[in-house]
Amino acid sequence: MQPSQAILATLFVPGSAHFVLGRPVRGVVALVVTAGLFFAGYAIVGQHLWYHALFTLTGTWFEGVLRFVPIGMLPEAPNLGCTIVAAFLRDTTGPEMMRLERMPVDGVHLGLLLTACSGVLNCLWMADAHWLAQNRESKSGVSPALAAGATWLVPGWGHVMAGQKDKGILLGAAVLIVFFGGLAFSGGHAVDRVLASAWFDGEVLCGVGVIFGSVVTAGMRFEALPLHWDLGVTLCTVAGFMNLLVMTNAYTVAEDGPDSFVVPLDAEEAK
Amino acid sequence: MSLLFRIAVFLPAVYLVMIVYSAPLAPTAKGVAEIAARKTVKVVGWTVLIVASMWILAALFLP
């Protein structure tokens, strides 16, 4: 199986490429975890999930395609197979259904967190399948996708696993200070997909932060948004994208070993 | 938002972002922190220049 085929297969059916590549146990775990998270979240939020699509292109010919292949449904779309199944279960007829889509439900933050995490996890399973299909050995002894996944959950952890302990702690601290600083500025409401749906797509890239925000602080009652809520949302989203860079670097360090670093094309750049 | 508050948020945030941006350029925390410090100075310098230019343009052209 070619690495690109492994990515495509996992995109539609989590774990399918692992089966073909001779890793059936990992394939079952990928399928159960990814599909399980998605449908557990979908069972809580139901139709309301579709209200948080990043784009729908209403009124264009592409709207019909997005109805059944909802690539605008970020961050769930990387788990495309489950998202397509849910799209076929969707009922869009009549104003009552439109009202249901807009109406928040009990446990909305947890439900939306679970579906979002399924999308991120399937990206990591795709990376793992791509690595396995290349049939290479990692120089650090740690699977690059595992290092990236550990970094998603706890920023810096992947570097620690791959042998760059002090660098991992520094990077993790940088991401977490920005994320939790943002959460503090916003009074705990920066991570709130109901209030700031598009920003959540960036925030979800910092696993521990988005789990803490969604489970602990998002449900807290408030009478008015804090003065620096917008600053907090921005910082949390920036921290998410910072963690994406840390994840890609953790993948590279796991791949090339603990002594690896990039020499810039322009050597002066590093000075 | 006062200017002091903006600076107090902006400077550390830029340094922390630069730490992550510089991560691939060194294998140790010390190396990353040093490269990030140099890049922070560069980014802050450009930011001051751009903001000052906008203030000058606003003073010249806006009534």
Side-chain angles (χ1 to χ4, degrees), chain A residues 98-184:
Chain A
M98 291 172 71
R99 196 174 69 82
L100 274 179
E101 282 190 14
R102 281 162 175 73
M103 188 188 293
V105 294
D106 286 342
V108 65
H109 297 297
L110 178 65
L112 292 172
L113 171 72
L114 294 177
T115 57
C117 286
S118 78
V120 177
L121 276 182
N122 205 38
C123 284
L124 295 164
W125 288 121
M126 281 191 274
D128 190 47
H130 182 266
W131 174 259
L132 288 174
Q134 291 177 70
N135 203 18
R136 290 167 58 197
E137 290 289 323
S138 74
K139 290 181 183 168
S140 67
V142 177
S143 158
L146 180 64
T151 301
W152 172 70
L153 196 60
V154 180
W157 190 10
H159 284 82
V160 173
M161 287 169 70
Q164 291 189 345
K165 191 177 175 186
D166 58 342
K167 188 172 142 185
I169 292 169
L170 178 72
L171 296 176
V175 172
L176 292 176
I177 288 171
V178 175
F179 194 98
F180 284 98
L183 208 56

Side-chain angles (χ1 to χ4, degrees), chain A residues 120 147-159 168 171-176 178-179 202-210 235-251, chain B residues 16-17 20-21:
Chain A
V120 177
T151 301
W152 172 70
L153 196 60
V154 180
W157 190 10
H159 284 82
L171 296 176
V175 172
L176 292 176
V178 175
F179 194 98
E203 293 166 349
V204 78
L205 296 168
C206 179
V208 67
V210 83
L235 286 176
C236 285
T237 308
V238 167
F241 285 111
M242 283 166 71
N243 202 36
L244 180 64
L245 291 180
V246 180
M247 284 162 72
T248 53
N249 188 234
Y251 187 100
Chain B
L16 294 170
V17 170
V20 169
Y21 178 74

Side-chain angles (χ1 to χ4, degrees), chain A residues 57-78:
Chain A
L57 303 179
T58 309
T60 66
W61 65 270
F62 203 56
E63 185 186 1
V65 178
L66 288 181
R67 164 72 179 79
F68 294 106
V69 188
I71 54 171
M73 192 65 239
L74 289 174
E76 285 82 3

